[in-house]
Amino acid sequence: MRTEDLLAAIATGLWRWDSVSGAVSYDAEAARLVGLPAEPVTLPEAAARACFHPADWLEIKAIVDLAVAEGTLAEARLRIVDEKGTVLRTVRTRSRPIARGGSEDGYYLLGTLQEVPDPLPGTSAAGPPVTGDWRRNREAFLLDAGRALAEAMSTAEVLRVAAGLSMPGFSPEGLAVFGVQGERISVIGHHGPRPGADHPFHDIALGTDYPAAEVVRTGRAVYLPTPEEYRGRFPAAWSLGRPRKRRSWAFLPLIVAGRTIGAWMAGFAHPVSFSPDERSVLTTIARMLAQALSRTALQETERELADGLQRSMLPASKPDIPGLTVAARYVPTGGGLQVGGDWYDVIGLPSGRTALVIGDVQGHDVHAAGIMGQLRIAVRAYASEGHHPDAVLSRASRFLAGLSALDGPDGPDGPDGRYGPRFATCLYMEVDPVAGTLDIARAGHPDPAVRLADGTMMIRPTAGGLPLGIDPDTDYPTTRVVLEPGETLLMCTDGLIETGGHDLETGWDRIRKVFERPATLTDDPGALPSHGLGSDDLEALADSLVQAVHGPPSHHTTGPLADRREDDIALLLIRREAEVCLVGPGSAPVRRTAVTVAQAEPERIAGTRQQLRDMLHDWADPDQVESAVLMLSEMVTNVLVHTDGDALLVAEVSGRHGSRRLRLDVADSSDELPHRRRPGELASSGRGLLLLEMLADNWGVDPRGDGKCIWYELYEASPNARPDPAADGSAPRA
């Protein structure tokens, strides 16, 4: 005996609901229990919903949502009603959600239906009091419809909600929403057996003899309870449309603030008399639908205006820089006209080099976007004249200071000072793709980050000045950074870092997890990462960085989570293409960094210590890391104290994981060689060489023509397992 026959013998039906398509399928017994002919049938969700009491439908929706979230069984009682709202019987359903194959967000709901006997005298039935008058149930329906329309965030969602409305006692078989554009009306949303584009009145003149056109012209509803009345009042429309499958129609105006913005048509497969109560429900739905459409249309217009305003100020095409791969992203903030001043630009220079610019104007309003546009043009003009990075930012700062002077409390923006003086942060970088050098000038902007060839991310500290527009006479020193083959550099605005409750430090930690991921293709720490990443991988990395802040794409605009677009995001990724023979068989990529500490900037020693810690983040022995940092600090400090020049630091990590070598060189322009001293117990200096002897595996001093270089080496393994110095051609010198 089949399972279906066995269940039918005990008056139990089977049903299935598809959460993606909304289709509800009943077997013969389940169809009988819900008041349909006793034969298998598949119905749209709206038609299936009309078989149940509205209050019970709201309750079962909440129960099913909980069962889906917890993966448990959903059980509830439902009252079955006819077209007039009279309760026919009470059924009990048990169902379980089952994930759809190949879909991450869809599921099937499989369940049984069984009739519940009438309660015995003296007992009460579960659930709300049963009533045969659907007019008492329309409040639950209207509350449900109002909530769904209020939560819709786009015109498409509003139309989808409207198509799924199942009115108590009379459910439309087809729906259409008409919009007004000048002297014409067109179908903007449709649900039913005939696609909207095939409708003869899909796009018609306002003067056409058609019910929707008359509703828009007069602002009054048109109710057509019978085909004869339709044919008599609108013969031309009847002959063209031939709506033979429907028996009643209601056309209602969509009115907002006294203005008719469209019309709503509900067609019924069964005769409807359109009693005062039925007209009241239809009118209420039309008003809520009009308000929802007006609200979402305004929001979409504002978003389109904001996006168009800012995207028009971004580079029109992806730059083509020989030897470099570039990826860029701009993501505006959420919320209507809450636009910001983030921007990026790629500028071809007269020298043949390329300038990369990223910046952020203070504020989130149209005025900030306007200043951003003017500042972007100014920076592009100064760069195109051939000025060096420091001169470009100095001129841009004077330009913005002069521009802000016009926008003070007494300026043209009003006495309230709403649009007062603004400042902007900026990072300007001149790129030499042949040599791999980057000349960077920074105006209060976050430092760039570099992913080394082996996947390690490091923040590159650069010299900088005040944000643009604060002090017109501020100087902006230039820092030169070398981008090695296979390395990737990230420039971004603070929207990528300091959002979601993060500060600068924790924000970079969040970015680090994503930025380092593409080069870590295996869990084996000794395995080599891939360096043959193409441009598509850089594009994927840019998307991953944005998603690290905003969450998955499904959470960008709608859903149960709050909008996470707190600030604009602009980012630029550049990667210097790796040479073919950069990594040989059996070898590993080299980590290398170079930093200059000027005599006038001793505070940068702290930044160099942090850079070294970042380079050694996966070093096997933490004590060795602290020793390396201590020796670095001692060596750089000695240069600043005992010479008149700057200290140039170069750190390099080579070898495979577990047996690597750290070599650190500190060069200066003094010819005086260091000598051993015997400091007393109270002496505050003189222990530098003693520390090198105690902590370094190898160290030395190399005289040079223009000064000297002090260096030390540390080996990750024990001395007995040190790598052969001849293996990489750089034997340590005593």
Side-chain angles (χ1 to χ4, degrees):
M1 178 180 292
R2 296 188 311 161
T3 303
E4 294 84 349
D5 297 334
L6 178 61
L7 292 175
I10 58 175
T12 300
L14 292 174
W15 63 276
R16 185 182 75 166
W17 177 63
D18 187 344
S19 68
V20 176
S21 66
V24 181
S25 301
Y26 298 115
D27 67 0
E29 182 62 22
R32 183 191 69 81
L33 290 173
V34 299
L36 300 173
E39 57 187 24
V41 64
T42 298
L43 302 174
E45 182 180 347
R49 178 179 180 178
C51 300
F52 300 98
H53 193 285
D56 295 347
W57 179 265
L58 296 178
E59 181 180 356
I60 188 61
K61 285 284 288 182
I63 294 174
V64 168
D65 291 342
L66 181 61
V68 170
E70 297 181 348
T72 56
L73 192 68
E75 183 174 358
R77 294 191 177 192
L78 298 168
R79 286 167 289 178
I80 307 300
V81 298
D82 60 12
E83 294 180 356
K84 296 182 179 180
T86 303
V87 175
L88 301 177
R89 63 180 61 87
T90 302
V91 297
R92 179 175 60 188
T93 177
R94 290 175 177 168
S95 58
R96 181 180 296 276
I98 299 176
R100 291 168 55 96
S103 177
E104 297 182 356
D105 21 354
Y107 58 88
Y108 294 111
L109 200 64
L110 302 179
T112 61
L113 281 177
Q114 195 172 32
E115 186 171 0
V116 177
D118 293 333
L120 298 174
T123 62
S124 59
V130 176
T131 174
D133 189 355
W134 70 267
R135 290 175 296 180
R136 297 185 180 182
N137 303 325
R138 69 182 182 185
E139 294 181 2
F141 161 74
L142 292 176
L143 286 174
D144 184 27
R147 175 194 55 78
L149 290 172
E151 292 178 353
M153 300 300 294
S154 66
T155 299
E157 288 185 42
V158 171
L159 297 175
R160 187 163 58 248
V161 171
L165 294 177
S166 178
M167 304 177 193
F170 65 114
S171 180
E173 184 263 346
L175 299 168
V177 178
F178 299 85
V180 181
Q181 294 181 347
E183 294 298 318
R184 303 188 68 82
I185 63 173
S186 60
V187 176
I188 61 175
H190 186 275
H191 174 71
R194 173 182 288 173
D198 297 337
H199 200 284
F201 303 103
H202 178 71
D203 185 11
I204 60 176
L206 195 57
T208 305
D209 184 24
Y210 182 63
E214 179 175 317
V215 165
V216 173
R217 291 195 305 266
T218 63
R220 294 191 299 269
V222 172
Y223 297 100
L224 305 172
T226 63
E228 291 74 21
E229 186 165 351
Y230 192 148
R231 184 171 50 248
R233 290 186 59 179
F234 303 97
W238 177 268
S239 61
L240 285 176
R242 298 184 179 276
R244 300 289 188 261
K245 295 184 178 180
R246 297 169 185 164
R247 310 303 300 169
S248 298
W249 300 261
F251 293 83
L252 295 98
L254 301 177
I255 302 175
V256 177
R259 182 173 62 92
T260 303
I261 64 171
W264 174 49
M265 185 277 290
F268 300 87
H270 56 275
V272 178
S273 62
F274 298 115
S275 65
D277 287 321
E278 293 169 338
R279 295 189 182 198
S280 175
V281 171
L282 291 170
T283 301
T284 303
I285 291 297
R287 290 173 179 172
M288 292 191 296
L289 182 59
Q291 294 291 335
L293 287 172
S294 176
R295 171 178 54 81
T296 55
L298 178 61
Q299 292 176 347
E300 290 171 352
T301 301
E302 290 178 343
R303 284 196 295 267
E304 184 178 355
L305 173 61
D307 290 352
L309 173 65
Q310 292 193 301
R311 294 189 185 280
S312 65
M313 300 178 186
L314 299 177
S317 59
K318 183 178 178 180
D320 184 14
I321 306 176
L324 295 179
T325 303
V326 181
R329 290 292 183 275
Y330 170 73
V331 182
T333 185
L337 288 178
Q338 292 295 310
V339 296
D342 292 24
W343 91 94
Y344 69 87
D345 205 353
V346 182
I347 308 168
L349 302 179
S351 62
R353 298 184 177 185
T354 302
L356 303 178
V357 190
I358 194 164
D360 183 3
V361 176
Q362 172 200 11
H364 295 92
D365 49 46
V366 177
H367 190 61
I371 292 179
M372 177 267 287
Q374 298 177 75
L375 184 59
R376 173 180 176 269
I377 294 173
V379 171
R380 174 173 278 270
Y382 298 141
S384 299
E385 291 176 354
H387 296 293
H388 291 292
D390 56 341
V392 170
L393 291 191
S394 295
R395 285 167 168 76
S397 183
R398 284 194 291 271
F399 170 81
L400 183 56
L403 193 65
S404 298
L406 302 176
D407 295 333
D410 298 325
D413 292 311
D416 58 356
R418 177 185 174 190
Y419 293 149
R422 301 292 180 100
F423 65 84
T425 65
C426 184
L427 185 70
Y428 182 94
M429 179 185 302
E430 187 174 310
V431 182
D432 184 345
V434 177
T437 58
L438 312 173
D439 293 327
I440 303 173
R442 188 170 57 88
H445 202 81
D447 283 308
V450 175
R451 189 180 73 195
L452 304 181
D454 69 340
T456 302
M457 188 194 92
M458 297 183 62
I459 309 298
R460 291 292 193 195
T462 56
L466 294 173
L468 305 178
I470 293 181
D471 183 357
D473 298 323
T474 299
D475 293 329
Y476 296 96
T478 302
T479 303
R480 172 162 290 188
V481 174
V482 177
L483 192 66
E484 300 289 346
E487 293 183 347
T488 303
L489 182 136
L490 166 66
M491 308 163 58
C492 65
T493 57
D494 59 356
L496 189 69
I497 306 172
E498 299 177 313
T499 53
H502 288 272
D503 57 19
L504 194 62
E505 181 177 355
T506 61
W508 275 123
D509 289 340
R510 174 177 58 180
I511 296 303
R512 182 188 304 276
K513 297 176 183 177
V514 179
F515 198 31
E516 292 182 341
R517 189 184 306 157
T520 306
L521 303 182
T522 176
D523 294 333
D524 180 9
L528 293 178
S530 172
H531 301 283
L533 300 176
S535 59
D536 292 341
D537 299 293
L538 205 62
E539 296 290 338
L541 175 59
D543 291 334
S544 298
L545 290 170
V546 173
Q547 290 185 20
V549 177
H550 286 174
S554 61
H555 297 156
H556 285 184
T557 54
T558 62
L561 299 182
D563 196 336
R564 299 166 69 177
R565 297 191 181 192
E566 303 172 18
D567 196 2
D568 290 12
I569 290 178
L571 66 89
L572 273 169
L573 288 167
I574 60 172
R575 183 179 64 240
R576 189 178 179 194
E577 298 300 340
E579 299 175 1
V580 176
C581 298
L582 178 65
V583 180
S587 63
V590 176
R591 298 181 192 174
R592 183 182 295 109
T593 185
V595 181
T596 299
V597 181
Q599 280 280 333
E601 297 178 318
E603 65 276 2
R604 294 196 62 191
I605 296 179
T608 61
R609 289 196 293 259
Q610 184 58 47
Q611 278 210 71
L612 186 58
R613 285 193 173 94
D614 290 342
M615 284 191 69
L616 304 177
H617 69 96
D618 56 353
W619 198 264
D621 187 355
D623 290 337
Q624 277 191 313
V625 175
E626 294 304 318
S627 298
V629 172
L630 177 60
M631 290 187 288
L632 172 142
S633 184
E634 181 70 23
M635 293 163 64
V636 175
T637 302
N638 283 341
V639 171
L640 300 185
V641 171
H642 299 296
T643 72
D644 295 328
D646 302 336
L648 174 61
L649 179 148
V650 178
E652 180 181 286
V653 177
S654 59
R656 296 181 63 84
H657 193 281
S659 59
R660 290 172 293 183
R661 183 195 70 177
L662 165 67
R663 180 183 174 93
L664 189 139
D665 300 70
V666 176
D668 61 73
S669 58
S670 174
D671 294 332
E672 183 180 355
L673 298 179
H675 57 277
R676 188 185 305 276
R677 299 166 60 186
R678 297 183 180 276
E681 294 182 1
L682 301 179
S684 59
S685 63
R687 299 181 177 86
L689 297 185
L690 294 178
L691 288 174
L692 289 177
E693 282 189 350
M694 293 174 59
L695 302 178
D697 290 325
N698 208 350
W699 69 278
V701 180
D702 293 341
R704 295 182 176 178
D706 55 350
K708 64 179 180 299
C709 173
I710 305 176
W711 57 269
Y712 72 79
E713 293 178 342
L714 284 178
Y715 302 105
E716 191 173 22
S718 62
N720 295 331
R722 290 176 185 171
D724 182 4
D728 54 10
S730 56
R733 299 178 295 273

